Amino acid sequence: MSSITEPKQTAPPFTVGIALDGAGWHPSAWRDDAARPADLFSPEYWSELVDTAERGGADYVTFEDALRLQGAAEPGPDAPAGSRTLDPARVEGRLDALLTASWLAPRTRSIGLIPTVTTTHTEPFHVATALQTLDHVSGGRAGWQLRFSADRASADAFGRRPAPELDIERVFAGEPEAGLDALIADAADAAEVARRLWDSWEDDAIIRDLETGRFLDRDRVHHIDFEGDGFSVIGPSIVPRSPQGQIVVTLLAHAAPIFDLAARAADVVFITPENEAPAAGASRGKTAADLIAEVREAEAGVDRAALGLHPLRIVADLVVALDTDAEGGADRVARLDRLAGVAAAGDARVEAGPAERIADRIAAWRDAGVDGVRLRPAVLPLDLSLIASELLPLLRARRLANPAASEPTPLRERFGLGVAPNRYATRRAPQEVSA
């Protein structure tokens, strides 16, 4: 397998992305006067959100997804299969992230589109080819937020295999946990299958030779012959090699085992520094520098160049609630907390206030060594509109964001990842490659 030559630049570009999820990242966001709960499942709503992010100059948007309802409490061990308790105060239900991104792709021009797709109960061949299709229809702006699923509700929804038994306390204490190890190994295999399938067609495999009647050079289409513990895939892909060749793989990580998975399988890892009231499993109170050191330690244990991967890009997640003329961001968060009946706990830090304060936070993390930020608007579309109109211009003025793109830009280029060589093309003899 070929090695990677890092682009000739002192540092990767500092990226700013937007994480989209329903009515916003506060659980009570849908009850805010500025929210649009009646529109959450309409195509116009999602088109307007992404259009706002694109016009504001964001590098990419991510779309949340999961195999279970958002507020579904995990049933106890003795509960019957399929039973769950729903939280009536939360938004329930989502549109499929990958299908939404594919619908939006031809309706956007320059912004990257990164849907969440879970690997645990899905077929890696279908995931890989669907993401290739997104890359084709977006002109090379596709990414993938890889996720695996450990919960019983997701397993019951598919009914193919039981959920693993996990001791969460052991997991986040850094102790070995066989169930988690199996999930991570399965996710790593799914990512490897996808990457091989994305390379299974060489760039020049389609020749369209009218004189000979040959549409395809079959010597440039390859079986991947993957054998893993959970599945085997012969390949090749049914989709020709996509514009980026290798789609950008991202991963949200909170603990050492997931940092290890990111080091083996991802191009971009999302971290959550300085979270004050984290959800179960998050690394409480760790600074950006602490988390960067943990990620780089995991990365040092993997020969990423031999895997065809560039150095990991590290992006910090931040929930934002910006001030308006009518109400401060902190006041809005407090009001929504009261509606929820409890202070909303999440895995990422909440920064509320004027755009200057949020820019200061981002600058501090940039100085600590992160390669970008992913902003989670507390209330949609309100906080997204404020990000686009106030925060992003300020970040650009302080050189904390890229200039707004007016032309389509491959997502790999936005992250400074460069061209992805094809592993199968580089294995052929030089005279074959040049023939």
Side-chain angles (χ1 to χ4, degrees):
M1 194 172 298
S2 65
S3 62
I4 283 289
T5 300
E6 186 67 3
K8 294 181 180 180
Q9 54 186 27
T10 57
F14 192 86
T15 56
V16 179
I18 307 293
L20 299 177
D21 187 20
W25 284 85
H26 194 289
S28 295
W30 67 276
R31 300 178 69 182
D32 191 87
D33 290 342
R36 293 163 50 188
D39 297 335
L40 296 183
F41 307 112
S42 72
E44 293 81 11
Y45 178 76
W46 290 94
S47 182
E48 289 172 21
L49 291 179
V50 176
D51 182 62
T52 299
E54 184 172 55
R55 285 188 288 105
D59 290 296
Y60 60 90
V61 289
T62 63
F63 304 87
E64 290 302 297
D65 209 347
L67 302 179
R68 59 181 288 181
L69 292 169
Q70 293 95 306
E74 186 71 356
D78 298 325
S83 63
R84 61 182 61 88
T85 301
L86 301 181
D87 182 353
R90 293 179 63 103
V91 169
E92 296 286 0
R94 289 186 173 105
L95 299 182
D96 181 273
L98 180 51
L99 291 176
T100 300
S102 297
W103 184 82
L104 288 166
R107 293 166 173 81
T108 53
R109 179 172 175 80
S110 61
I111 196 165
L113 304 169
I114 307 179
T116 299
V117 184
T118 304
T119 64
T120 307
H121 303 286
T122 52
E123 295 292 343
F125 185 91
H126 292 160
V127 171
T129 56
L131 287 164
Q132 277 186 290
T133 301
L134 174 60
D135 204 42
H136 275 288
V137 298
S138 67
R141 295 181 283 121
W144 173 23
Q145 186 171 189
L146 185 157
R147 181 168 295 169
F148 60 83
S149 174
D151 64 277
R152 181 178 167 187
S154 297
D156 290 346
F158 280 79
R160 292 182 177 178
R161 58 178 176 178
E165 296 182 5
L166 294 181
D167 186 331
I168 297 299
E169 295 299 325
R170 287 177 57 85
V171 169
F172 293 103
E175 300 175 8
E177 170 55 57
L180 179 64
D181 291 345
L183 282 171
I184 290 174
D186 185 73
D189 282 351
E192 176 63 16
V193 165
R195 289 193 181 278
R196 292 192 192 187
L197 287 169
W198 296 339
D199 277 350
S200 64
W201 292 55
E202 296 182 31
D203 291 318
D204 54 356
I206 297 177
I207 56 177
R208 304 182 185 89
D209 191 329
L210 298 178
E211 291 186 4
T212 64
R214 295 172 66 224
F215 183 83
L216 190 70
D217 183 347
R218 64 183 182 184
D219 292 332
R220 286 170 167 75
V221 179
H222 305 274
H223 294 105
I224 70 168
D225 296 325
F226 178 87
E227 290 282 348
D229 292 336
F231 45 80
S232 61
V233 179
I234 295 174
S237 175
I238 57 173
V239 181
R241 187 164 166 86
S242 62
Q244 294 184 105
Q246 286 290 313
I247 294 161
V248 177
V249 179
T250 73
L251 181 67
L252 174 64
H254 297 116
I258 319 303
F259 296 152
D260 291 338
L261 174 60
R264 294 160 54 193
D267 300 297
V268 178
V269 59
F270 299 119
I271 60 172
T272 53
E274 303 176 30
N275 43 333
E276 297 170 339
S283 302
R284 181 184 295 271
K286 289 190 177 181
T287 67
D290 291 335
L291 293 173
I292 290 167
E294 290 186 34
V295 171
R296 295 303 182 202
E297 181 180 3
E299 188 178 19
V302 177
D303 187 349
R304 287 177 59 86
L307 296 174
L309 300 174
H310 292 262
L312 265 172
R313 305 311 190 220
I314 302 176
V315 174
D317 275 13
L318 183 66
V319 178
V320 294
L322 285 95
D323 290 352
T324 68
D325 293 339
E327 184 180 38
D331 294 332
R332 183 161 69 256
V333 170
R335 176 170 54 79
L336 293 174
D337 285 348
R338 290 193 295 273
L339 288 173
V342 64
D347 62 331
R349 179 183 177 89
V350 178
E351 195 72 46
E356 291 80 4
R357 177 184 299 171
I358 294 167
D360 288 343
R361 173 64 54 193
I362 293 170
W365 285 353
R366 190 273 310 273
D367 293 344
V370 301
D371 301 311
V373 290
R374 182 173 64 154
L375 305 175
R376 304 183 187 181
V379 175
L380 289 169
L382 173 62
D383 284 303
L384 175 57
S385 297
L386 295 169
I387 289 169
S389 63
E390 298 181 14
L391 181 57
L392 275 164
L394 178 60
L395 293 178
R396 280 192 287 273
R398 295 177 60 171
R399 297 186 178 181
L400 291 167
N402 295 315
S406 58
E407 297 296 327
T409 304
L411 189 58
R412 292 185 63 86
E413 183 176 325
R414 286 182 178 269
F415 282 109
L417 294 171
V419 177
N422 186 304
R423 71 190 70 197
Y424 298 109
T426 55
R427 288 176 182 174
R428 292 193 285 115
Q431 62 270 23
E432 293 180 280
V433 174
S434 60

